[in-house]
Amino acid sequence: MSSVTHHLQPSLVPFDTRRQPGCQLIFRDRTLELHDEAVLRRFSWTVDTEGSRCELAGKTFYGERYGGSGIGVHGGGARCGFDGERYQLKGIGPNPLLGVIGEDDVGQSDGELTLSAALYEMIWSRILDTVLPFGANRCLAILAVPAHSTFSRALLLREGYLRPAHFERAAYFRGGAQGGRHEQAADVRRTLQMCRQLPDILADTFHLRGDTEYCLAEGLTEFARRQAAQIACATSRFLYHSISSSNFSLDGKWHDFTSLSPLDPRHLPVDFGMDSAWATLWRQFALVADVLGSWIFHYAKYTHLSQSTMQALTRDVLTEFEQTLHQQYAFNLLCVMGIPRLIAQSIYSETAVQTWATSLLAILPSLPFWMQPPAAALPLAALSFSRAATAPTQAGFFQQTRVATWLSQRETVRRRAIVVAQEHGIAAQDLALAVDINAAKFLCPRQAVSWRAMIDSLDGILVDADLALNEKVDILLPWCEARVAHWRFHLTADAGMQTICWQGNNTVVIFDMQAGSFKVSTGGRSRQVAPQDLHAFMATCEAGHAFRDYCQQVQLCLFPEG
């Protein structure tokens, strides 16, 4: 029995499933330690809601009781089943933890997961596992489930893990076969048993040695540091995630990405609520702080920790969270606004940089106002350190007092970055080119690869009645791989002296800041190219048109004199 399975025991609620005939494995992650036949044999199971598969073999899975603000009236993960060993299956059907849902939310009561939502979650789990500093819990496999002569339903396989929500009450759970009073009592017992384990669990998770008090305090503080780094990284890249105590694992990783949205302040469709999501994005750190506070409160309540001890622990953990968050915002905003990671790592903790980041964070929430017609559109590059930021922009925006102050702070940071670059042997003009490349990469338009656009593309392929499932998969998987590659490129701050300028069509263009030249790798061969010769050289390559189109789209000028 794994340590996760052992610790989860108080939260597990058994339920019956039946063999689901006709499932097809359409995706398997390279990290999954099971072969295809084993995946199908062990995970082609769903809840028999219609009673039509009673004669088929049965198998017990387990719902996981947990609480927190992210589960509404449910008693935990209402559409997931843990296999009792290592893996969790999402979309298995309604389990005993499904709460009584109002008439407006009946669509959530079937416990199912659509195939397009599963593919979308798989894409983002792979992207964020490499982009976020502490990663994401990856989707390990997707099974297509036959339903009404189609394959619109899915089962998503992932590792089982502990969440902060496992230590919180599901106070609003309304449901369960044995009635509300029984379920409330069971939930209290579960919370008590989970909280008693918390110091040992934190010690296991973060490899701590010491007494109960030390492991509790240091474990919670380390979790807070990790979440500060995660939220700063995501927010600085304009990634909106549904933050709750059930969407993190204890090691800091994120999961549940069916609603994750890459936002663009230039294109926020009102009909999908993305206009309000932009405002919420800049307050998401407060949701993490609420998770930390609730987690400590529940532990204190169920282990009879004194109020003074609880208050001191809460203060210390939240102080560490806020301090780390402030520094991580500075580091990530430097990268997103164009400063190479190598330079950002050297200066992000300096007072001048912290002040610049704080000012920028105060400006960013209002961006959509300045980017909508009829006003002259404010280029997003105007906020960056790139040379494009000096172009004429929205006058009203720059007439704000706080913006003028921030501009002065930006110049101070720019000069500091030049000094540090020179200490690394990077010439000022080569730093400027690297900044232009990075800012263009991070701040490029996102309308064509938004949440809505990606879901529509997936659904468009899946509903094509002229294609068999295997034909759809042949289209879907390369499409998904392309989106993973796209977002990894546009969200990753490259380490070291080299930064990727562009990639596509089996071609990669890399700029070396120290050498002041490009390396173009295509067809298994590489060549060094000077900046002034790059466009001419690329015109001779098969990928030349795509490279030129990208530079035009993001307004990237690689040789200003050319």
Side-chain angles (χ1 to χ4, degrees), residues 483-559:
R483 295 309 172 277
V484 171
H486 172 93
W487 281 114
R488 282 178 175 169
F489 167 65
H490 285 287
L491 297 174
T492 299
D494 299 312
M497 287 290 178
Q498 297 183 335
T499 185
I500 299 176
C501 174
W502 179 80
Q503 62 184 28
N505 297 30
N506 296 315
T507 301
V508 181
V509 180
I510 298 174
F511 180 63
D512 189 311
M513 295 184 289
Q514 203 166 44
S517 63
F518 288 89
K519 182 175 75 171
V520 180
S521 300
T522 183
R525 295 183 295 177
S526 297
R527 178 170 170 176
Q528 296 295 129
V529 183
Q532 64 269 26
D533 300 326
L534 182 61
H535 280 291
F537 176 78
M538 290 299 295
T540 68
C541 301
E542 185 178 344
H545 288 297
F547 176 71
R548 182 193 62 195
D549 291 346
Y550 169 74
C551 291
Q552 291 176 346
Q553 178 194 27
V554 301
Q555 299 181 337
L556 175 60
C557 182
L558 296 172
F559 187 63

XYZ file of all heavy atoms in Angstrom, residues 483-559:
606
model
N -0.673 21.981 -29.796
C -1.062 22.973 -28.781
C -0.127 22.910 -27.581
O 0.231 23.934 -27.002
C -2.515 22.738 -28.335
C -3.545 22.950 -29.425
C -3.385 24.294 -30.122
N -4.230 24.470 -31.282
C -3.948 24.028 -32.506
N -2.850 23.318 -32.716
N -4.753 24.279 -33.517
N 0.296 21.721 -27.201
C 1.259 21.588 -26.101
C 2.551 22.307 -26.470
O 3.105 23.085 -25.681
C 1.530 20.102 -25.779
C 2.697 19.970 -24.800
C 0.280 19.451 -25.195
N 3.051 22.072 -27.678
C 4.286 22.716 -28.118
C 4.121 24.227 -28.199
O 5.017 24.990 -27.794
C 4.701 22.152 -29.483
N 2.964 24.674 -28.697
C 2.705 26.116 -28.809
C 2.782 26.800 -27.457
O 3.497 27.792 -27.283
C 1.317 26.334 -29.425
C 0.867 27.770 -29.406
N 1.076 28.639 -30.447
C 0.228 28.506 -28.440
C 0.594 29.829 -30.146
N 0.067 29.778 -28.932
N 2.054 26.247 -26.486
C 1.978 26.925 -25.199
C 3.259 26.772 -24.375
O 3.621 27.677 -23.625
C 0.764 26.446 -24.409
C -0.502 27.095 -24.882
C -1.559 26.495 -25.496
C -0.834 28.477 -24.804
N -2.527 27.408 -25.802
C -2.116 28.642 -25.375
C -0.185 29.597 -24.293
C -2.748 29.873 -25.450
C -0.819 30.833 -24.368
C -2.075 30.963 -24.935
N 3.925 25.655 -24.505
C 5.220 25.537 -23.820
C 6.182 26.601 -24.330
O 6.938 27.206 -23.562
C 5.796 24.143 -24.031
C 5.171 23.070 -23.147
C 5.774 21.704 -23.448
N 5.270 20.680 -22.522
C 5.466 19.382 -22.686
N 6.163 18.939 -23.728
N 4.996 18.520 -21.806
N 6.188 26.815 -25.634
C 7.056 27.841 -26.219
C 6.685 29.228 -25.707
O 7.546 30.008 -25.283
C 6.960 27.793 -27.746
C 7.560 28.983 -28.440
C 8.928 29.238 -28.362
C 6.766 29.856 -29.165
C 9.488 30.341 -28.998
C 7.321 30.952 -29.803
C 8.684 31.200 -29.723
N 5.413 29.557 -25.711
C 4.972 30.909 -25.375
C 4.911 31.192 -23.875
O 4.716 32.344 -23.476
C 3.608 31.186 -26.009
C 3.679 31.443 -27.478
N 4.184 32.608 -28.015
C 3.327 30.667 -28.541
C 4.128 32.556 -29.329
N 3.622 31.380 -29.675
N 5.072 30.166 -23.039
C 4.976 30.367 -21.589
C 6.279 30.078 -20.848
O 6.345 30.286 -19.637
C 3.873 29.477 -21.015
C 2.446 29.750 -21.498
C 1.494 28.692 -20.959
C 1.971 31.140 -21.096
N 7.303 29.619 -21.551
C 8.534 29.190 -20.892
C 9.618 30.253 -20.983
O 9.897 30.779 -22.066
C 9.061 27.884 -21.524
O 8.072 26.863 -21.362
C 10.362 27.445 -20.852
N 10.226 30.567 -19.829
C 11.393 31.458 -19.786
C 12.634 30.584 -19.882
O 12.951 29.837 -18.954
C 11.399 32.270 -18.494
N 13.319 30.661 -21.001
C 14.470 29.788 -21.244
C 15.629 30.126 -20.310
O 15.920 31.291 -20.042
C 14.924 29.909 -22.694
C 13.839 29.488 -23.672
O 13.258 28.418 -23.469
O 13.565 30.249 -24.625
N 16.294 29.080 -19.832
C 17.431 29.265 -18.942
C 18.718 29.431 -19.748
O 18.787 29.073 -20.920
C 17.555 28.066 -18.007
N 19.743 29.986 -19.112
C 21.058 30.084 -19.740
C 21.166 31.227 -20.737
O 20.361 32.159 -20.746
N 22.186 31.118 -21.594
C 22.492 32.183 -22.550
C 21.613 32.148 -23.794
O 21.575 33.117 -24.549
C 23.967 32.083 -22.984
C 24.949 32.523 -21.926
S 24.864 34.313 -21.693
C 26.063 34.514 -20.351
N 20.921 31.037 -24.012
C 20.158 30.893 -25.245
C 18.658 31.010 -24.996
O 18.149 30.532 -23.981
C 20.476 29.547 -25.894
C 21.940 29.414 -26.304
C 22.228 28.112 -27.021
O 21.525 27.120 -26.842
N 23.268 28.114 -27.853
N 17.984 31.632 -25.944
C 16.534 31.734 -25.856
C 15.936 31.345 -27.200
O 16.461 31.728 -28.260
C 16.084 33.160 -25.462
O 14.675 33.181 -25.278
C 16.468 34.192 -26.510
N 14.883 30.548 -27.167
C 14.241 30.111 -28.407
C 13.459 31.283 -28.991
O 12.601 31.866 -28.328
C 13.316 28.916 -28.164
C 14.112 27.729 -27.623
C 12.599 28.518 -29.448
C 13.266 26.527 -27.257
N 13.763 31.614 -30.225
C 13.081 32.706 -30.918
C 11.810 32.225 -31.606
O 10.800 32.933 -31.619
C 14.048 33.312 -31.941
S 13.325 34.556 -33.011
N 11.900 31.026 -32.195
C 10.744 30.478 -32.920
C 10.963 28.991 -33.132
O 12.112 28.522 -33.223
C 10.586 31.172 -34.275
C 9.438 30.657 -35.090
C 8.122 30.972 -34.953
C 9.495 29.716 -36.178
N 7.351 30.303 -35.872
C 8.183 29.525 -36.645
C 10.540 29.026 -36.787
C 7.877 28.665 -37.689
C 10.245 28.163 -37.845
C 8.924 27.992 -38.288
N 9.850 28.246 -33.202
C 9.940 26.829 -33.534
C 8.701 26.413 -34.301
O 7.598 26.910 -34.073
C 10.100 25.973 -32.276
C 8.940 26.061 -31.288
C 9.195 25.272 -30.023
O 10.337 25.074 -29.619
N 8.126 24.815 -29.387
N 8.883 25.513 -35.225
C 7.783 25.017 -36.046
C 8.315 24.362 -37.300
O 9.432 24.624 -37.741
N 7.505 23.475 -37.908
C 7.890 22.811 -39.159
C 9.259 22.134 -39.031
O 10.093 22.228 -39.944
C 7.919 23.811 -40.320
C 6.565 24.404 -40.614
O 5.745 24.550 -39.718
N 6.307 24.762 -41.860
N 9.494 21.500 -37.879
C 10.763 20.796 -37.627
C 11.973 21.726 -37.675
O 13.084 21.303 -38.000
C 10.956 19.657 -38.629
C 9.889 18.584 -38.487
O 9.562 18.169 -37.373
N 9.336 18.148 -39.610
N 11.737 22.980 -37.368
C 12.809 23.976 -37.364
C 12.789 24.733 -36.051
O 11.715 25.053 -35.531
C 12.635 24.970 -38.529
O 12.657 24.245 -39.765
C 13.751 26.014 -38.543
N 13.975 24.989 -35.493
C 14.099 25.763 -34.259
C 15.108 26.888 -34.497
O 16.203 26.644 -35.021
C 14.556 24.895 -33.073
C 14.660 25.739 -31.801
C 13.608 23.729 -32.864
N 14.725 28.110 -34.122
C 15.605 29.272 -34.237
C 15.935 29.741 -32.825
O 15.037 30.107 -32.059
C 14.946 30.408 -35.039
C 15.890 31.610 -35.146
C 14.538 29.920 -36.421
N 17.217 29.713 -32.472
C 17.668 30.045 -31.118
C 18.642 31.221 -31.185
O 19.532 31.258 -32.044
C 18.368 28.835 -30.466
C 17.382 27.675 -30.327
C 18.944 29.198 -29.107
C 18.005 26.381 -29.825
N 18.447 32.182 -30.267
C 19.371 33.317 -30.186
C 20.315 33.126 -29.012
O 19.881 32.839 -27.890
C 18.609 34.633 -30.011
C 19.503 35.833 -29.913
C 20.328 36.208 -30.972
C 19.553 36.590 -28.746
C 21.163 37.318 -30.876
C 20.381 37.689 -28.642
C 21.191 38.049 -29.712
N 21.605 33.273 -29.267
C 22.635 33.175 -28.238
C 23.054 34.590 -27.854
O 23.672 35.297 -28.650
C 23.839 32.386 -28.758
C 24.850 32.073 -27.657
O 25.218 33.009 -26.923
O 25.265 30.910 -27.553
N 22.730 34.987 -26.632
C 22.994 36.363 -26.202
C 24.488 36.667 -26.135
O 24.917 37.788 -26.443
C 22.366 36.620 -24.830
C 20.865 36.564 -24.804
S 20.223 36.994 -23.150
C 20.701 35.534 -22.205
N 25.246 35.708 -25.716
C 26.682 35.946 -25.547
C 27.395 36.022 -26.898
O 28.267 36.871 -27.114
C 27.302 34.845 -24.691
C 28.597 35.256 -24.012
C 28.992 34.272 -22.920
O 28.911 33.057 -23.102
N 29.399 34.791 -21.780
N 26.988 35.151 -27.832
C 27.603 35.163 -29.159
C 27.010 36.237 -30.055
O 27.639 36.655 -31.038
C 27.439 33.791 -29.812
N 25.798 36.673 -29.725
C 25.147 37.690 -30.559
C 24.718 37.158 -31.905
O 24.620 37.922 -32.881
N 24.426 35.843 -31.988
C 24.048 35.249 -33.270
C 22.946 34.222 -33.052
O 22.659 33.805 -31.925
C 25.258 34.582 -33.925
O 25.728 33.511 -33.117
N 22.356 33.818 -34.175
C 21.287 32.819 -34.151
C 21.819 31.465 -34.575
O 22.739 31.359 -35.394
C 20.151 33.230 -35.096
C 19.341 34.383 -34.611
C 19.710 35.682 -34.925
C 18.214 34.194 -33.835
C 18.972 36.769 -34.488
C 17.464 35.265 -33.386
C 17.840 36.560 -33.707
N 21.218 30.410 -34.021
C 21.460 29.058 -34.496
C 20.149 28.519 -35.043
O 19.151 28.462 -34.313
C 21.974 28.155 -33.370
C 22.273 26.739 -33.860
C 22.898 25.877 -32.763
C 21.872 25.439 -31.748
N 22.415 24.429 -30.795
N 20.173 28.139 -36.308
C 18.986 27.598 -36.955
C 19.193 26.101 -37.138
O 20.139 25.676 -37.811
C 18.710 28.268 -38.309
C 17.453 27.681 -38.950
C 18.564 29.784 -38.146
N 18.307 25.310 -36.521
C 18.379 23.853 -36.641
C 17.185 23.368 -37.445
O 16.034 23.614 -37.079
C 18.380 23.190 -35.261
O 19.489 23.620 -34.490
N 17.458 22.705 -38.556
C 16.391 22.203 -39.412
C 16.893 20.989 -40.180
O 18.057 20.953 -40.607
C 15.899 23.289 -40.395
O 14.806 22.778 -41.163
C 17.005 23.758 -41.328
N 16.043 19.997 -40.305
C 16.420 18.809 -41.054
C 17.625 18.089 -40.499
O 18.406 17.492 -41.260
N 17.845 18.169 -39.176
C 18.972 17.485 -38.574
C 20.293 18.212 -38.702
O 21.338 17.711 -38.288
N 20.287 19.427 -39.274
C 21.508 20.221 -39.428
C 21.336 21.572 -38.753
O 20.226 22.088 -38.659
C 21.843 20.409 -40.903
C 22.200 19.109 -41.625
C 22.596 19.367 -43.066
N 21.478 19.883 -43.839
C 21.566 20.243 -45.123
N 22.728 20.146 -45.749
N 20.509 20.681 -45.767
N 22.438 22.141 -38.291
C 22.417 23.440 -37.617
C 23.377 24.400 -38.316
O 24.408 23.975 -38.872
C 22.804 23.298 -36.148
O 21.863 22.504 -35.459
N 23.061 25.686 -38.228
C 23.922 26.699 -38.832
C 23.856 27.975 -38.012
O 22.783 28.372 -37.565
C 23.491 26.982 -40.268
C 24.323 28.067 -40.948
C 24.031 28.141 -42.414
N 24.654 29.319 -43.019
C 24.618 29.600 -44.308
N 23.980 28.771 -45.144
N 25.194 30.686 -44.785
N 24.988 28.598 -37.797
C 25.058 29.893 -37.119
C 24.773 30.991 -38.144
O 25.340 30.993 -39.237
C 26.444 30.111 -36.514
C 26.817 29.125 -35.417
C 25.931 29.251 -34.195
O 25.385 28.268 -33.714
N 25.804 30.462 -33.686
N 23.912 31.933 -37.760
C 23.499 32.995 -38.667
C 23.521 34.327 -37.924
O 23.005 34.421 -36.797
C 22.077 32.742 -39.229
C 21.686 33.825 -40.231
C 21.978 31.360 -39.867
N 24.085 35.352 -38.524
C 24.100 36.689 -37.929
C 22.704 37.291 -37.993
O 21.926 36.974 -38.909
C 25.092 37.582 -38.666
N 22.360 38.175 -37.050
C 21.017 38.762 -37.049
C 20.627 39.408 -38.383
O 19.501 39.245 -38.844
C 21.082 39.793 -35.919
C 22.098 39.247 -34.975
C 23.121 38.598 -35.851
N 21.563 40.122 -39.020
C 21.236 40.811 -40.260
C 21.006 39.860 -41.432
O 20.430 40.247 -42.454
C 22.336 41.822 -40.623
C 23.699 41.196 -40.923
C 24.580 41.085 -39.702
O 24.072 41.020 -38.570
N 25.880 41.092 -39.899
N 21.423 38.588 -41.275
C 21.266 37.612 -42.353
C 20.126 36.622 -42.099
O 19.867 35.759 -42.954
C 22.567 36.817 -42.536
C 23.752 37.705 -42.890
O 23.542 38.716 -43.590
O 24.877 37.400 -42.446
N 19.483 36.723 -40.943
C 18.542 35.672 -40.548
C 17.363 35.552 -41.501
O 17.027 34.443 -41.946
C 18.043 35.914 -39.117
C 17.078 34.840 -38.591
C 17.763 33.473 -38.550
C 16.556 35.207 -37.213
N 16.704 36.666 -41.827
C 15.518 36.580 -42.679
C 15.873 36.054 -44.063
O 15.120 35.254 -44.650
C 14.832 37.941 -42.775
C 13.968 38.250 -41.587
N 12.797 37.572 -41.322
C 14.108 39.145 -40.592
C 12.248 38.036 -40.209
N 13.023 38.999 -39.745
N 17.002 36.467 -44.583
C 17.421 35.968 -45.896
C 17.687 34.471 -45.849
O 17.307 33.722 -46.759
C 18.666 36.722 -46.368
N 18.329 34.026 -44.771
C 18.601 32.598 -44.647
C 17.306 31.807 -44.489
O 17.118 30.758 -45.112
C 19.528 32.328 -43.461
C 19.764 30.874 -43.215
C 20.643 30.159 -44.011
C 19.085 30.203 -42.196
C 20.847 28.791 -43.790
C 19.283 28.854 -41.979
C 20.175 28.149 -42.775
N 16.401 32.300 -43.649
C 15.143 31.595 -43.422
C 14.305 31.523 -44.691
O 13.525 30.578 -44.880
C 14.352 32.261 -42.304
C 14.959 32.091 -40.918
S 15.083 30.355 -40.389
C 13.354 29.904 -40.274
N 14.460 32.491 -45.572
C 13.708 32.471 -46.831
C 14.084 31.278 -47.701
O 13.315 30.859 -48.574
C 13.932 33.767 -47.590
N 15.260 30.714 -47.438
C 15.706 29.539 -48.199
C 15.230 28.237 -47.577
O 15.444 27.170 -48.157
C 17.248 29.515 -48.294
O 17.799 29.274 -46.989
C 17.779 30.825 -48.839
N 14.628 28.315 -46.399
C 14.191 27.121 -45.675
C 12.715 26.849 -45.943
O 11.932 27.761 -46.247
C 14.417 27.278 -44.176
S 16.128 27.568 -43.699
N 12.323 25.603 -45.762
C 10.919 25.229 -45.929
C 10.027 25.960 -44.932
O 8.867 26.265 -45.216
C 10.778 23.713 -45.763
C 9.385 23.184 -46.021
C 9.298 21.680 -45.889
O 10.369 21.024 -45.903
O 8.185 21.152 -45.772
N 10.577 26.256 -43.743
C 9.802 26.929 -42.696
C 9.848 28.442 -42.808
O 9.337 29.145 -41.935
C 10.325 26.511 -41.328
N 10.448 28.966 -43.865
C 10.661 30.408 -43.980
C 9.397 31.240 -43.924
O 9.349 32.266 -43.237
N 8.345 30.807 -44.639
C 7.100 31.579 -44.655
C 6.458 31.614 -43.265
O 5.969 32.660 -42.821
C 6.121 30.999 -45.682
C 6.506 31.250 -47.105
N 6.586 32.511 -47.648
C 6.855 30.383 -48.093
C 6.949 32.433 -48.925
N 7.135 31.147 -49.221
N 6.454 30.475 -42.581
C 5.861 30.428 -41.238
C 6.639 31.315 -40.283
O 6.050 32.006 -39.432
C 5.842 28.985 -40.729
N 7.960 31.327 -40.392
C 8.784 32.187 -39.542
C 8.502 33.654 -39.806
O 8.335 34.452 -38.883
C 10.257 31.870 -39.783
C 11.204 32.780 -39.026
C 11.327 32.685 -37.652
C 11.958 33.739 -39.700
C 12.194 33.518 -36.955
C 12.819 34.569 -39.009
C 12.942 34.457 -37.636
N 8.427 34.010 -41.070
C 8.134 35.404 -41.420
C 6.754 35.822 -40.908
O 6.580 36.912 -40.365
C 8.192 35.566 -42.940
C 7.943 37.006 -43.438
C 7.700 37.017 -44.927
N 6.501 36.237 -45.252
C 6.193 35.829 -46.490
N 7.022 36.091 -47.504
N 5.086 35.140 -46.707
N 5.768 34.938 -41.069
C 4.411 35.256 -40.599
C 4.396 35.469 -39.089
O 3.693 36.360 -38.582
C 3.446 34.131 -40.967
C 3.198 34.052 -42.474
O 3.551 35.020 -43.178
O 2.671 33.016 -42.926
N 5.147 34.628 -38.346
C 5.207 34.785 -36.895
C 5.800 36.147 -36.527
O 5.252 36.859 -35.668
C 6.041 33.675 -36.267
C 6.376 33.914 -34.813
C 5.419 33.760 -33.817
C 7.650 34.345 -34.429
C 5.705 34.001 -32.487
C 7.958 34.579 -33.098
C 6.984 34.416 -32.129
O 7.288 34.669 -30.811
N 6.907 36.515 -37.152
C 7.546 37.803 -36.846
C 6.600 38.971 -37.124
O 6.555 39.946 -36.364
C 8.838 37.956 -37.649
S 10.154 36.829 -37.135
N 5.829 38.852 -38.199
C 4.869 39.916 -38.518
C 3.726 39.942 -37.507
O 3.283 41.014 -37.076
C 4.330 39.718 -39.934
C 5.362 39.965 -41.028
C 4.819 39.672 -42.419
O 3.765 39.047 -42.585
N 5.553 40.132 -43.436
N 3.256 38.755 -37.111
C 2.134 38.678 -36.167
C 2.487 39.308 -34.828
O 1.681 40.048 -34.249
C 1.725 37.225 -35.960
C 0.588 37.061 -34.946
C 0.418 35.630 -34.503
O 1.359 34.835 -34.516
N -0.781 35.278 -34.069
N 3.683 39.020 -34.323
C 4.075 39.528 -33.006
C 4.881 40.824 -33.102
O 5.353 41.332 -32.087
C 4.880 38.469 -32.223
C 4.049 37.204 -32.036
C 6.202 38.148 -32.915
N 5.020 41.336 -34.331
C 5.739 42.595 -34.580
C 7.163 42.532 -34.019
O 7.611 43.440 -33.317
C 4.968 43.780 -33.989
C 3.580 43.951 -34.607
C 2.819 45.137 -34.045
O 3.085 45.598 -32.937
N 1.870 45.639 -34.815
N 7.849 41.450 -34.377
C 9.209 41.232 -33.926
C 10.195 41.614 -35.030
O 10.215 41.000 -36.099
C 9.407 39.764 -33.536
C 10.821 39.329 -33.142
C 11.310 40.130 -31.935
C 10.847 37.833 -32.839
N 11.004 42.633 -34.763
C 12.023 43.078 -35.705
C 13.378 42.598 -35.197
O 13.889 43.089 -34.185
C 12.011 44.602 -35.834
S 13.200 45.244 -37.022
N 13.947 41.614 -35.882
C 15.175 40.980 -35.409
C 16.435 41.728 -35.815
O 17.506 41.477 -35.270
C 15.244 39.540 -35.927
C 14.131 38.625 -35.398
C 14.163 37.291 -36.095
C 14.253 38.450 -33.896
N 16.309 42.639 -36.761
C 17.467 43.446 -37.165
C 16.945 44.822 -37.558
O 16.607 45.055 -38.729
C 18.228 42.794 -38.322
C 19.519 43.505 -38.664
C 20.539 43.567 -37.727
C 19.696 44.117 -39.888
C 21.734 44.219 -38.019
C 20.884 44.779 -40.195
C 21.897 44.832 -39.261
